[in-house]
Amino acid sequence: MSDPESMSDPESISGTGSISGTGVTGDAGGRDPRIVVIGAGIAGLTTAHVLTDAGFEDLVVLERGSDVGGVWHHNRYPGLTCDVPSQLYQFGFAPNPDWSKIWASGSEIQRYHRDVAERFGLMNRIRLNTEATAADFDDDAGTWTVTLADGEELIADFVICATGVLTNPQIPDIPGLDDFDGPVVHTARWDESLDTAGKRVAVIGTGSTGVQVVSALAPTAAGLVHFARTPQWILWAPMRLPQPRIVAAALRSMPGLHALVYRGLLGASAILPDIVRNDTWRRRAVQAYARLSLRVGVRDPELRAALTPRDQPLCKRQVVSGSYYRTITSSAADLVTDPIREITADGVVTADGRVHPVDVIVLATGFRAHDYMRPMSVTGRDGLTIDEAWRDGPRAYRMTAIPGFPNLFTVLGPNSPTGSISLQHTSERTAHYLASWLRRFARGEVDRIEVTAEATDEFNDDVRAAMGPTVWNTGCNSWYFSESGTIDLWPFDRATLDRMLAEPDPQHFHLTVAADPR
Ligand code: N01
């Protein structure tokens, strides 16, 4: 077994050539680390921008999709809208004054990501349609070999997994699903040639996606049945509200004002962790608003009872919609809360024995949210695989480092998903944190960086303790929970996040320095 504290052989660390082919030494220091970033979504684009901006030139981004954008590229279902205001849901380094709506559509957000990748010169570093299938650490050389689906191998000093959270669709295990005669489509793999107009449509799932797709498909369908075995609380909001042109003009002509608005929204969102963590008047006010949204939106007491969740508002990722209650109370859609027993060639059968004939089935059944970089196989020091390391669920140190996996980091890794802190902000903070490590590598101060098990345990103990009093822990079941029952979210406030990712704490790492660094 190799000892992470031991000095490595400098000869074996140099690796074999440059990934990007540039081999150029940037402004970052004496030697240019070879960096492979996996994923070109929010986390990958942020990482690529922050690191290249810091002078790290030998960087390639691998993206298995045919475009950048991550979830915003893969999710193209009708009605897709971001329920976070656009002026907040954007990169701090790329403010966009011109959002057409207060809450932008999925396609507009996707165009924004593409535009950012082009404007910041990232496209020539991104290899689209390129899937990394394996990453293996070479104990002797201290390098990573990243294997692509076509067999090509890249040698890297650092691997950064920016592979997302809501990436791999969850296909439900419903008996007979494969026997259905018509189209079955998961919302995260929408078939753009599918025309549901005039068809009888089944939508399964009541999360943010199910609620959006029901409202979008019902008006043109010949009938829509919403299979909602677990109703969710829905906050009403006017999701189609345009961003006034005068606002865009003002933000465009006064970048200082725009920065102020962004910081203001970021500041305002700082109350969200408090709402989920403590039973404050603010939490109670939001919960009262959710109940009011249901009461006002659904007048029929029987239907309202069927739509009333058993858990308390905010326990799951909060659903926001301006149209769902209007749709489900109209003649265009039917609500079915009985669980599904099976699917036959021409319909859905519920537990009460009723047959619901449909032509199309839409699965809004969510994601395998704790896969992270998998199904890519990742093998770290001493042959340790990520599946072994995460047998009891994903665990990392401060969302970004994993014991046993030297020089491998995650951006938006375990514990990063949260409805209460901007993902863009978290990505930027993490990327700057990684830049600090890379500078040390560039200066030859360190070759191998591996977080200690003790520091990781301590962080996870703190996370568990902080989860105790959160609303997430009040008895609902959601994608927030990992297979082992831990809540895979960030329980602290933004100030804590900023502090934890301000500068690396060498005491929490095994650091190996070559005797004669190249
Ligand atoms: O997925 P979900 P989602 N039979 O996991 C049901 C983000 N997002 O795609 O609760 C019947 O929330 C399941 O039922 P149950 C956001 O973070 C953001 O909707 O297990 N039903 C549940 O109702 C969100 O939280 C935006 O009983 C089955 C649903 O499927 C996250 O994505 C927009 C079933 C899954 O809900 C995921 O949301 C959209 C079965 N066999 C999404 N299996 C923004 O606007 C599963 N279900 C930013």
Side-chain angles (χ1 to χ4, degrees), residues 72 75 77 80-84 89 104 109 166 170-174 186-188 204-212 226-232 239 310 316-320 338-340 363-367 418-419 477-480:
W72 298 105
N75 285 263
Y77 60 84
L80 174 60
T81 308
C82 183
D83 57 18
V84 179
Y89 199 87
I109 296 171
L166 303 173
Q170 172 75 52
I171 307 297
D173 188 15
I174 302 174
H186 190 282
T187 44
I204 304 175
T206 58
S208 305
T209 307
V211 161
Q212 291 184 347
H226 189 196
F227 293 92
R229 71 177 179 188
T230 314
Q232 293 219 40
M239 301 296 289
R310 292 175 282 279
K316 299 184 176 203
R317 163 64 160 78
Q318 187 57 53
V319 179
V320 183
D338 275 306
I340 296 169
L363 303 174
T365 46
F367 299 87
T418 171
N477 174 30
S478 73
W479 66 262
Y480 286 173

Side-chain angles (χ1 to χ4, degrees), residues 386-410:
I386 198 72
D387 287 341
E388 288 162 356
W390 284 357
R391 197 178 292 117
D392 297 325
R395 291 173 95 246
Y397 164 87
R398 300 183 180 180
M399 306 178 280
T400 190
I402 308 161
F405 297 83
N407 293 12
L408 177 138
F409 294 95
T410 51

